[in-house]
Amino acid sequence: MRQPTPDVVAHRGASAHRAEHTRGAYELALEQGADALECDIRVSRDGHLVCVHDRRIDRTSSGRGVVSELTVAAMSEVDFGGWHQEPPRSADDLVRGPAAEPEHGVLLLDELLGLLRDNSRPVRLFIETKHPVRYGGLVERKLVALLARHGLATPADRENSPVLMMSFAQSAVRRFHEAAPGVPTVLLFDRFRGPLRSGVLPPWADLAGPGIRLLREDPGFVARAAALGRDTYCWTVDDPADIELCARSGVRFVATNAPASTRFHLAESGLVQFGSVTAK
């Protein structure tokens, strides 16, 4: 039975209000009632899985350099939070500027999994592996090994797996599925190629992951995928009209930079009961 409204996924945490991929962004997302979190991962020079979107840390930190050439120790000296300036919430903030919060050190995926383990309610995690990268398929191998250490690589119930893996790289999704077939996978895409438009996914991909632009152009895609037994994860959904489009179309998961306002808009639109923790 399909749920009536989307689950709200905090894209890189509550990244509209805190610096992306920081502990503060994810803690705020949990406070805002996100049903799930999303992160991007790369491999550091010393072999750790770190939560960074870009190939370099220049945009999202006070440092510089390529992630695969930096150790975690080197990145521990860098501020990953101070660069982000939240829009002013008052006249006083407008005059003096809101204070950005420093967060020294890159966030490890191991830490993020620990945060979810210790959370008071179950919250899922969507993990995107980035490609192309220097280490190729090493990121998927390390991800499977880390999930196994946390007891997450072989969930008893795939439908309610605490973790889902996703990537734009078809080879990465296939590689991960072969190593951990019990963990659901999402194939991300920003344009329709081959049979995708009809809702047909490769056998190693469980969910379709179109960008919101594709659904604006072709909202019927969600129903076509659902008719073939495939749910849809849509990114990145912040605009109220897009939120309503996803809800009307039957999208299962919406990735948003502002989970609180997305949930509030669903409630205001009568699409979900705001008083509940999960958007169902």
Side-chain angles (χ1 to χ4, degrees), residues 219-242:
F221 168 81
V222 180
R224 294 195 298 274
L228 297 172
R230 307 293 192 175
D231 283 324
T232 298
Y233 167 102
C234 186
W235 53 274
T236 302
V237 185
D238 293 329
D239 183 86
D242 291 335

Side-chain angles (χ1 to χ4, degrees), residues 11 83 89 95 135 159 181 194 207 217-218 228 257 276:
H11 183 246
W83 65 273
R89 291 169 292 181
V95 172
Y135 297 125
E159 173 63 23
L207 285 82
E217 297 171 358
D218 186 4
L228 297 172
N257 296 313
S276 64

